[in-house]
């Protein structure tokens, strides 16, 4: 498969969508992207696994990273792409191959941008953290991620979504004592013991802290529950898997402490954690970008890889075509207008229309 | 594997315990039992699946069924067997391979009992009713179960336990609406919605009706709970599997109505049901056996297959070695003295010591 970087961003989005690239199956799309980028003499291309990095090296005063992941969630009878009434439908159209297409168009058509650019197209964002291409790159080649500012092209309604909330997963465990269900007075039912865990979750009122003028909104949800030994046995264990989304004014340690306090009296084990990212809108590079793009800035509720840039000291925002509410839905789609607007605004900011 | 029916009942219990036979894995133990029984010329042996029937046919005035199941609940780090200070430990030692061993010893050593005997060793008692060997036998070969009286060798502390409580399993379901966990206000969490189900279960107070002088005691327990779609998605369904034990003064219909009232406001689906059996201590055959064995008669809390005999019009009692409180517990065990006493009392009653 080949990509035609001379095509417009909408056509390019369709080309990308039609190369199926569910996480762990990115070989074909990564090969096509690498081949297309290697044909551009103004870029230096590096590949690590199925992650591609392409850089200008013009000695500009500032360097900006523009990044997008190339994998999608599993197929759900939503390929190939379909363009209808100005809306492009299909797996990955929203999350986030339209963003990738804008990125690739900029890479192909801005040989002399006013800032040095690092384009990163990376693998395995939709699955376990251990496979994430941006995470692997930050470990193997942190210098390739160095920049003054980063733009992650996650769907954000073609507006700037700043920062991101952190996410932590814990197991909340109740224990009991097995007994035959016919003589239950000899045992202690661990599932019954979980009633208080669920009651507290049900009564949870989220914090909504305002940071840099943006109102975040936390979340606390049971995402799994399991318990049970046999159909006639009192269960001696019940586990509620809880996902906490915490605002950027809290560290992972503070979030963990909150959870331990919230579930006081129960055994709590952290199984997964990723820090929030502060919006950082006061930082000069971020401020300049926001001013150039204009429009309202919104808080990012979901966790995104902007947190990885924040951790490296690089201010980063989400800015990409597509409604984030549609991500991971069967009917995901993206308005053509979003794709065109994102490309135009980035091009203007990078001096491409001068 | 082979069984040595010339060994004493305690040794035979150990042999049976050491043949792992968790429900649906009864092939090996059934083969060993069939082979051993086919070696006895005074018995006619029939096999259906992993259920073995062996009968005398001496033209006696009365026929008695002696029955036991050969499966166990799941392994819980409690094999192989261990004999210590007159106590035999191990999975199935109490429920109910010691009873099976007594049964097999009587089969091997009573070629001319004073009543005709039908020995039934059956599969899959510890799991869903549809697999139960005695149930299958009652459908395929009801004539093989015909008798004047039946003794089920379920653990009953080597005393007579009369009647049995009924058992019903229901799914109690809560529903919600999926949403990304980072924007949970767009969904409804079905696991949180189950808090009230668990709270009601936790507050349940059992009825304790007295029937034929015996005090029964009901039970209501969550035996499984499950819900969850993905680690970052609000679940749209949660199912609590509830097991209800009801006293013999209630029909299955009355028990179902109780459950529907108890869980009012939630979707309730009956998935499994078995009627209780009234103690029936006034029936002549039951009375005669109870008088011969002596000692106090107790109510049976657990559902047992005596209810199947009751349904066929055959009076039946539970009488077997082992404390029923230990059934399904990791540390289940049986006193050697129980095994020996049960064997002796049955042998006396069947004229074996005459």
């Amino acid at each position: 498969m080949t990509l035609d970087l001379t095509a417009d961003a909408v056509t390019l989005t369709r080309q990308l969508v039609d190369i199926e690239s569910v996480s762990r199956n990115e070989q074909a799309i990564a090969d096509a992207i690498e081949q297309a980028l290697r044909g551009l003499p103004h870029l230096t291309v590096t590949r690590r696994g199925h992650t591609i990095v392409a850089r200008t090296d013009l000695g500009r005063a500032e360097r900006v990273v523009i990044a997008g992941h190339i994998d999608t969630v599993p197929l759900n009878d939503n390929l190939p792409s379909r363009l209808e009434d100005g809306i492009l439908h299909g797996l990955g159209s929203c999350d986030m191959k339209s963003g990738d297409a804008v990125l690739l168009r900029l890479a192909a058509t801005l040989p002399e941008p006013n800032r040095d650019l690092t384009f990163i197209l990376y693998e395995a964002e939709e699955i376990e953290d251990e496979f994430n291409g941006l995470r692997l790159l930050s470990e193997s080649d942190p210098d390739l991620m160095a920049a003054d500012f980063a733009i992650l092209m996650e769907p954000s309604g073609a507006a700037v979504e700043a920062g991101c909330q952190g996410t932590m997963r814990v197991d909340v465990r109740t224990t009991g004592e097995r007994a035959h269900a016919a003589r239950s007075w000899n045992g202690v039912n661990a599932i019954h013991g979980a009633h208080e865990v669920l009651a507290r979750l049900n009564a949870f009122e989220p914090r909504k802290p305002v940071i840099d003028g943006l109102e975040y909104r936390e979340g606390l949800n049971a995402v799994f529950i399991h318990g049970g030994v046999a159909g006639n046995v009192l269960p001696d264990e019940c586990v509620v898997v809880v996902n906490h989304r915490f605002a950027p004014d809290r560290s992972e340690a503070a979030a963990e402490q909150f959870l331990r306090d919230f579930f006081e009296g129960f055994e709590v084990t952290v199984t997964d954690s990723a820090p929030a990212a502060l919006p950082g809108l006061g930082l000069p590079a971020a401020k300049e970008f926001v001013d150039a793009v204009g429009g309202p800035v919104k808080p990012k509720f979901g966790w995104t890889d902007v947190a990885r840039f924040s951790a490296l000291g690089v201010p980063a925002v989400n800015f990409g075509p597509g409604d984030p509410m549609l991500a991971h839905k069967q009917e995901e789609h993206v308005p053509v207008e979003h794709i065109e607007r994102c490309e135009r605004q980035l091009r203007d900011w990078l001096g491409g229309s001068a």
Side-chain angles (χ1 to χ4, degrees), chain A:
Chain A
M1 274 162 287
T2 57
L3 292 174
D4 176 11
L5 298 190
T6 69
D8 65 273
V10 177
T11 304
L12 194 51
T13 302
R14 292 198 71 165
Q15 291 179 26
L16 290 168
V17 169
D18 291 338
I19 304 175
E20 186 264 283
S21 62
V22 174
S23 308
R24 312 297 282 159
N25 189 28
E26 297 102 330
Q27 170 99 43
I29 200 167
D31 287 352
I33 289 169
E34 181 185 5
Q35 188 187 28
L37 289 173
R38 286 205 189 274
L40 301 170
H42 62 284
L43 295 175
T44 307
V45 176
T46 308
R47 177 163 176 167
R48 297 280 181 269
H50 299 319
T51 294
I52 321 287
V53 183
R55 296 158 53 97
T56 64
D57 204 355
L58 303 164
R60 303 292 195 234
E62 260 190 3
R63 175 172 291 278
V64 172
V65 168
I66 304 180
H69 64 82
I70 59 176
D71 62 321
T72 70
V73 294
L75 271 164
N76 196 2
D77 195 22
N78 49 5
L79 278 187
S81 64
R82 179 167 52 85
L83 182 60
E84 214 172 272
D85 299 330
I87 307 285
L88 180 63
H89 301 260
L91 177 64
S93 58
C94 168
D95 185 14
M96 57 181 283
K97 291 180 174 178
S98 50
D100 296 332
V102 169
L103 182 163
L104 288 168
R105 278 294 290 168
L106 296 173
T109 58
L110 282 176
E112 296 204 340
N114 57 12
R115 295 161 171 89
D116 267 312
L117 297 177
T118 303
F119 300 99
I120 304 179
L121 294 122
Y122 63 100
E123 64 183 322
E125 192 268 350
E126 298 291 7
I127 53 170
E128 294 79 357
D129 187 61
E130 63 183 301
F131 302 112
N132 183 295
L134 203 59
R135 173 205 161 99
L136 296 175
L137 192 69
S138 74
E139 289 166 0
S140 67
D141 302 81
D143 51 312
L144 288 179
M145 285 175 66
D148 300 285
F149 183 53
I151 298 166
L152 191 62
M153 300 212 62
E154 284 280 354
S156 57
V160 177
E161 289 191 346
C164 77
Q165 297 200 125
T167 179
M168 182 169 289
R169 202 145 33 224
V170 293
D171 287 348
V172 183
R173 189 180 316 266
T174 60
T175 54
E177 195 186 339
R178 291 189 196 184
H180 194 291
R183 290 173 294 277
S184 51
W185 53 93
N186 293 313
V188 177
N189 192 314
I191 294 177
H192 297 192
H195 80 95
E196 172 69 17
V197 175
L198 300 192
R200 288 187 203 173
L201 283 167
N202 197 57
F204 171 75
E205 290 288 345
R207 285 199 320 135
K208 299 177 182 176
V210 175
I211 305 166
D212 286 4
L214 304 175
E215 185 183 84
Y216 288 87
R217 185 164 171 175
E218 298 194 329
L220 189 63
N221 276 281
V223 289
F224 287 104
I225 188 166
H226 43 84
V229 175
N232 55 2
V233 175
L234 263 69
D236 55 355
E237 182 179 88
C238 179
V239 176
V240 187
V241 181
V242 174
N243 180 223
H244 179 39
R245 302 295 176 135
F246 54 97
D249 61 344
R250 276 203 175 152
S251 66
E252 290 172 278
E256 180 177 341
Q257 191 55 54
F258 162 75
L259 289 171
R260 293 196 181 281
D261 292 345
F262 189 86
F263 292 115
E264 205 191 332
F266 298 96
E267 187 189 325
V268 171
T269 310
V270 177
T271 59
D272 193 29
S273 177
L278 282 161
L281 295 179
L283 296 168
K287 203 166 174 337
E288 204 176 307
F289 174 73
V290 167
D291 289 347
V293 168
V297 177
K298 294 185 286 184
K300 186 71 179 175
F301 296 114
W303 191 89
T304 75
D305 279 319
V306 294
R308 291 188 208 279
F309 290 105
S310 290
L312 294 172
V314 181
V317 297
N318 305 278
F319 176 71
D323 179 350
M325 305 295 217
L326 293 172
H328 303 193
K329 293 213 168 190
Q330 182 183 28
E331 68 271 22
E332 70 169 297
H333 55 257
V334 61
V336 162
E337 184 271 324
H338 277 201
I339 301 174
E340 293 170 346
R341 177 149 48 99
C342 280
E343 182 184 351
R344 187 174 64 246
Q345 291 184 317
L346 282 167
R347 185 181 301 284
D348 287 351
W349 178 59
L350 294 168
S353 316

